[in-house]
Amino acid sequence: MVLTEQKYYPRDLSWLSFNYRVLLEAKDESLPLYERIKFMAIYSSNMGEFYRVRVATIQSLIKVQRKTSKRKNPMEPELLLEQIKAEVHRQQEVFGQIFQGSILPELKRNNIHLIQGAPELEVHKEFVRKFFKEELMAFLHTELLRKNKIMHFLREGALYLCTKLRNRPRNYAKLVEEGKNDKINESKRIRYALVQIPTHYFPRFIELPTVDGAHYFMFLDDVIRFNLDRLFHGYDVLACHSIKLNRNADLQIEDEYDGNLVDKVKNHLKLRKTGFPSRFLHDSSMPSSMLKYLRDTFDIKKREVVSGGKYHSYYNFFDFPNPLSPELEREALPPLPKSEFNLYANIFAAVKVKDWMLHFPYHTYDHVISFLNQAAVDPQVKKIFATQYRVASNSQIVNALIRAAQNGKDVTVFVEIKARFDEASNLQSAENMKSSGVKIVYSMPGLKVHAKVAMVIREENQEEKGYAFLSTGNFNEKTATLYTDQGFFTANDEIMAELHELFAHLTDWEYKPKPFNKLLVAQFGMKERFLQMIEVEMEEAQQGRKAEIFIKLNNLEDPDMIDKLYEASQAGVQIRMIVRGICCLRPQVPGLSENIIVRRIVDQFLEHSRIFCFHNRGNQKVYLGSADWMRRNLNRRIEVNFPVDDPNLQAEVLDLMEIQWMDNIKATQLDPYLQNKPFYRAGESVRAQIEIYARVKEGSLGK
């Protein structure tokens, strides 16, 4: 089926569309130079994870189908992999043009030089030789490759230089002098060797001496290249090319239902380092003979080979030094306090009076930390419940929960240890909490808990009173400065009763909770209720009345939800969507989705919140929460979306959404092929994140 006939856009090609939008930020010359460099690093980091997870999964499907099918024609996963490779190649071409044609010249205009290759100035040559001899050489290990004789291994994500060598026999010069070249077996003199670039010990960029006020930096890779003659005594170095191997990072335990989950995760974390190859990245100038030798030596399949530039792991540019800092960097937007909290003795007193909304990273996350810190020392607090998906290193959230347990509070924390790439961190924080008296509950195999909720129980007038914090983002004070999310404080009795039911289920999987009416909980009717809300809009549209849906998501992939949106569009419902990442829905296709507009915002903060607004016959329904519209979120996870009923808070959320919809600087509009099209709108320019910060600062959001 050709793409123009498809009802759903392929998930992985959709994700590549998003990552290309990230790359376009590196191209934007209106941004500060080091902001552009940061987006270049984000793009590279995203692509590495994509290959380790998604491409690895596709390659696994190819292996399975080849083993179970006798058909010789290309399978669907193979065709998808070909499309991915073609799109990645196209994006890499653009990446190279941005880096070589724009980033590097702009650095030079600011007297910052990134040397690529051998240093030209004598002072730099002397420095590099000395640095190599006195500091770097002791950390280098050379490995001669012997195909079919020795089992060689490439570390996941490590950078290597592959060298082609020619040995020099002791009597080589004499044989040449005597004209006995025929006795020299040239083919037997060729060797291949690896040198791992020790980025785990040294920064990727080495600062060289300043000359006439100009700043110079050099790739660690090139420091080694410049000194290869010192590494390979007795050999001539004929060629040197960079390589990198990514391995499958999917632990593949989500569908296993037996055994101890903690042990499974620990064992699979070890396997992650030795998983099968998902991407063998090589310098595009590498000769085919060298590439073939490496493929044979490391058993690399053709589909795993990706041609790249001279340098890999551009995510290291997160740490590219800025000798002119804070020049060339974006202006900081310091997180703002919610000053109204100062009118109350503590957060519990404030939340008892009304619900509160925080908008991160515009608001400071300190209020959330204070909520748990106050609970830890408050003698009236008896119990604390919380979920943990991804926490910060040295987490203040974890420290507050530990302090609460040490102060005699009954603290129960549900820890999701299958949060990809945070498994080890979550296990460690769980062990720290457990050793301090916190009751730890681990998730089940086959089911993830992605909800972001915390509940504090106080004893007030000899009765229990609950206070909760629910969020669209993780309990992570570091990402709360980088991601846009909403946090919600409430003491609503109905919500508290349903949170009691949720935590009763999380701590005892056999317990079947009572029906959820206020909260939308995946596994317990969330999907069905979303479908019902869309049905209401369809009925209104068919009656000729106003019918609108306005949604913000990270990812949209669930076919049931997409089909229902298509139906709603055909019924006349006006649908606006802000979808940051994956979008399998094809907008504005005649006869299918002409009433659906999808936009994407990529700016200095990562858009992360999930917001759902339904006109609902004029009685607006607004929900926020943890769940994207993906099969995994709606069908295989515990997610919590919560209602915003307070008219003032609803106004804040709707105002925020409208500001984002008006963005004509950092927003793009997706066409039916998910191309990022610039969004033009008459009138003044609006950059949503800057505008929202200004509104939060002056207290005018929603007013």
Side-chain angles (χ1 to χ4, degrees):
M1 182 181 293
V2 296
L3 186 60
T4 53
E5 297 173 346
Q6 287 182 346
K7 192 176 181 183
Y8 313 112
Y9 200 88
R11 166 180 170 167
D12 298 296
L13 296 179
S14 170
W15 183 90
L16 287 173
S17 166
F18 154 67
N19 207 35
Y20 184 68
R21 175 64 188 88
V22 173
L23 181 58
L24 292 180
E25 287 298 283
K27 187 179 181 180
D28 185 353
E29 295 184 359
S30 70
L31 292 177
L33 177 57
Y34 274 73
E35 184 76 355
R36 297 172 63 198
I37 291 173
K38 182 194 77 173
F39 277 105
M40 190 173 64
I42 293 172
Y43 173 87
S44 177
S45 177
N46 288 348
M47 192 66 77
E49 182 174 331
F50 176 70
Y51 268 90
R52 294 183 68 195
V53 179
R54 291 301 306 169
V55 174
T57 299
I58 296 167
Q59 291 171 345
S60 297
L61 290 173
I62 292 173
K63 291 180 180 179
V64 170
Q65 289 196 3
R66 284 182 172 175
K67 289 180 179 179
T68 58
S69 176
K70 295 181 180 180
R71 286 171 29 183
K72 295 182 179 180
N73 294 328
M75 306 295 178
E76 183 181 346
E78 291 180 307
L79 293 174
L80 177 58
L81 192 59
E82 289 176 9
Q83 290 179 307
I84 288 172
K85 290 187 72 171
E87 177 60 19
V88 169
H89 178 74
R90 184 189 75 83
Q91 293 187 17
Q92 284 182 333
E93 292 290 315
V94 176
F95 186 101
Q97 293 166 8
I98 294 171
F99 181 61
Q100 298 290 343
S102 183
I103 298 293
L104 291 179
E106 187 64 22
L107 282 169
K108 287 182 180 180
R109 280 192 284 273
N110 287 278
N111 248 353
I112 302 171
H113 302 265
L114 177 58
I115 296 174
Q116 297 181 81
E120 297 180 1
L121 300 178
E122 196 60 37
V123 63
H124 291 157
K125 292 179 182 178
E126 293 175 3
F127 175 88
V128 170
R129 287 286 191 184
K130 184 178 180 182
F131 175 80
F132 180 86
K133 179 181 178 181
E134 296 181 1
E135 298 189 46
L136 181 57
M137 191 171 182
F139 292 90
L140 298 178
H141 171 69
T142 61
E143 180 181 6
L144 283 172
L145 300 179
R146 302 188 67 186
K147 183 175 62 175
N148 301 326
K149 293 183 179 180
I150 297 177
M151 292 287 291
H152 299 282
F153 182 79
L154 295 176
R155 291 180 52 197
E156 147 58 36
L159 297 174
Y160 294 89
L161 295 178
C162 180
T163 58
K164 183 178 181 180
L165 309 172
R166 179 175 59 201
N167 69 6
R168 294 193 296 267
R170 292 180 181 177
N171 59 345
Y172 176 72
K174 184 178 180 181
L175 289 172
V176 172
E177 184 180 346
E178 295 175 355
K180 298 179 180 179
N181 301 50
D182 57 320
K183 294 189 176 183
I184 303 174
N185 190 326
E186 291 291 339
S187 63
K188 291 187 177 181
R189 296 175 58 211
I190 299 300
R191 299 284 188 274
Y192 291 98
L194 291 183
V195 184
Q196 184 177 340
I197 301 172
T199 52
H200 46 304
Y201 291 116
F202 294 90
R204 183 76 184 281
F205 306 101
I206 304 302
E207 186 172 3
L208 306 181
T210 301
V211 177
D212 297 330
H215 303 275
Y216 293 86
F217 299 91
M218 188 173 183
F219 279 99
L220 183 62
D221 322 26
D222 288 332
V223 173
I224 299 172
R225 292 175 194 265
F226 188 64
N227 290 279
L228 285 174
D229 57 319
R230 296 189 177 191
L231 282 178
F232 297 104
H233 297 289
Y235 291 90
D236 296 319
V237 179
L238 304 180
C240 179
H241 299 275
S242 57
I243 62 172
K244 171 184 171 180
L245 185 72
N246 287 124
R247 296 183 178 276
N248 182 8
D250 194 344
L251 297 188
Q252 297 180 332
I253 60 173
E254 291 192 24
D255 296 322
E256 298 180 14
Y257 289 89
D258 60 338
N260 182 288
L261 182 60
V262 174
D263 290 341
K264 282 182 179 291
V265 171
K266 288 181 177 179
N267 291 332
H268 279 72
L269 283 174
K270 298 174 185 176
L271 296 176
R272 179 174 279 170
K273 298 179 181 179
T274 59
F276 63 78
S278 61
R279 176 176 65 164
F280 180 77
L281 189 59
H282 69 91
D283 179 346
S284 60
S285 64
M286 177 182 288
S288 58
S289 57
M290 179 185 284
L291 179 58
K292 184 179 185 305
Y293 188 92
L294 292 172
R295 282 187 55 197
D296 292 343
T297 301
F298 296 104
D299 191 25
I300 304 296
K301 305 296 185 294
K302 185 177 180 180
R303 64 175 177 268
E304 297 159 357
V305 176
V306 177
S307 174
K310 181 179 180 181
Y311 306 98
H312 309 314
S313 296
Y314 275 77
Y315 61 79
N316 291 139
F317 274 91
F318 279 120
D319 301 315
F320 186 67
N322 180 6
L324 307 182
S325 181
E327 292 183 37
L328 309 180
E329 297 172 2
R330 67 174 172 85
E331 182 180 355
L333 299 177
L336 304 165
K338 189 81 169 178
S339 57
E340 295 92 330
F341 277 132
N342 296 330
L343 302 175
Y344 300 87
N346 54 41
I347 287 183
F348 302 115
V351 177
K352 192 171 185 177
V353 172
K354 64 176 184 175
D355 295 342
W356 297 77
M357 182 77 70
L358 296 175
H359 305 282
F360 308 119
Y362 314 108
H363 281 127
T364 177
Y365 203 72
D366 289 348
H367 297 305
V368 181
I369 297 170
S370 294
F371 174 64
L372 292 173
N373 278 333
Q374 289 175 22
V377 299
D378 186 342
Q380 291 179 266
V381 170
K382 303 303 178 183
K383 299 177 184 178
I384 301 175
F385 298 87
T387 58
Q388 174 184 312
Y389 192 75
R390 301 184 194 274
V391 295
S393 57
N394 301 316
S395 169
Q396 295 183 61
I397 299 293
V398 170
N399 290 340
L401 295 169
I402 288 175
R403 190 177 307 113
Q406 292 172 338
N407 288 340
K409 317 297 183 188
D410 185 353
V411 183
T412 302
V413 178
F414 183 95
V415 179
E416 179 52 76
I417 55 174
K418 300 190 300 298
R420 186 178 287 123
F421 300 122
D422 281 287
E423 301 96 343
S425 174
N426 284 2
L427 281 169
Q428 184 60 57
S429 66
E431 290 171 3
N432 293 343
M433 288 188 287
K434 190 173 183 179
S435 64
S436 300
V438 176
K439 297 176 184 175
I440 298 296
V441 180
Y442 294 111
S443 56
M444 289 179 61
L447 181 69
K448 275 189 179 180
V449 175
H450 192 244
K452 293 85 167 60
V453 294
M455 179 171 65
V456 172
I457 308 299
R458 299 179 85 233
E459 189 177 90
E460 300 178 2
N461 300 321
Q462 298 182 331
E463 293 183 353
E464 287 190 346
K465 176 63 178 175
Y467 299 84
F469 177 76
L470 305 94
S471 181
T472 66
N474 297 306
F475 287 97
N476 188 314
E477 63 269 24
K478 293 183 179 178
T479 57
T481 65
L482 305 171
Y483 297 1
T484 71
D485 276 302
Q486 273 65 47
F488 179 65
F489 285 110
T490 185
N492 179 280
D493 290 336
E494 292 178 85
I495 290 179
M496 297 310 305
E498 293 189 5
L499 285 177
H500 272 287
E501 291 294 306
L502 174 67
F503 279 107
H505 176 65
L506 293 181
T507 54
D508 179 4
W509 293 104
E510 299 298 321
Y511 178 79
K512 301 302 180 186
K514 298 174 184 176
F516 294 98
N517 296 312
K518 294 289 286 186
L519 301 177
L520 305 182
V521 181
Q523 305 289 315
F524 299 97
M526 173 187 283
K527 185 173 183 178
E528 292 75 12
R529 289 176 64 187
F530 271 133
L531 292 171
Q532 290 169 6
M533 284 184 265
I534 298 175
E535 284 280 359
V536 169
E537 301 303 322
M538 293 172 61
E539 292 169 4
E540 290 297 287
Q542 289 163 350
Q543 294 298 319
R545 293 190 285 267
K546 184 175 182 179
E548 291 182 344
I549 298 172
F550 195 2
I551 292 174
K552 180 183 177 185
L553 291 164
N554 293 321
N555 302 299
L556 173 59
E557 174 260 358
D558 184 89
D560 295 333
M561 303 309 299
I562 293 174
D563 286 348
K564 184 57 70 173
L565 290 172
Y566 285 154
E567 287 182 40
S569 171
Q570 293 161 32
V573 180
Q574 301 302 307
I575 302 170
R576 296 183 290 169
M577 306 189 76
I578 301 171
V579 183
R580 186 199 77 211
I582 296 167
C583 181
C584 296
L585 178 148
R586 300 183 62 214
Q588 297 185 290
V589 176
L592 180 69
S593 56
E594 60 261 52
N595 289 321
I596 303 176
I597 299 174
V598 179
R599 292 182 184 161
R600 169 181 284 150
I601 296 175
V602 175
D603 203 346
Q604 67 187 61
F605 302 128
L606 179 78
E607 294 294 337
H608 188 255
S609 53
R610 295 95 171 173
I611 302 173
F612 309 88
C613 308
F614 299 88
H615 183 257
N616 192 43
R617 305 185 179 101
N619 183 23
Q620 190 81 232
K621 282 191 175 183
V622 177
Y623 286 88
L624 291 79
S626 62
D628 283 313
W629 281 2
M630 301 185 74
R631 278 173 283 201
R632 68 187 188 191
N633 300 84
L634 296 174
N635 303 309
R636 302 194 301 274
R637 292 185 175 185
I638 296 290
E639 305 270 9
V640 173
N641 287 0
F642 50 92
V644 179
D645 295 329
D646 181 284
N648 294 324
L649 298 187
Q650 269 198 11
E652 283 188 25
V653 174
L654 294 171
D655 192 16
L656 180 144
M657 291 282 280
E658 291 294 344
I659 293 170
Q660 294 207 313
W661 195 251
M662 295 291 285
D663 191 317
N664 55 357
I665 297 179
K666 292 302 177 182
T668 55
Q669 189 156 304
L670 302 185
D671 70 9
Y673 308 100
L674 267 66
Q675 298 297 305
N676 297 280
K677 300 297 184 180
F679 167 58
Y680 298 103
R681 177 180 53 77
E684 64 179 324
S685 298
V686 175
R687 184 174 173 183
Q689 292 186 357
I690 302 302
E691 177 66 21
I692 292 169
Y693 181 84
R695 299 270 189 103
V696 170
K697 188 174 184 178
E698 64 189 23
S700 62
L701 190 65
K703 298 177 181 177

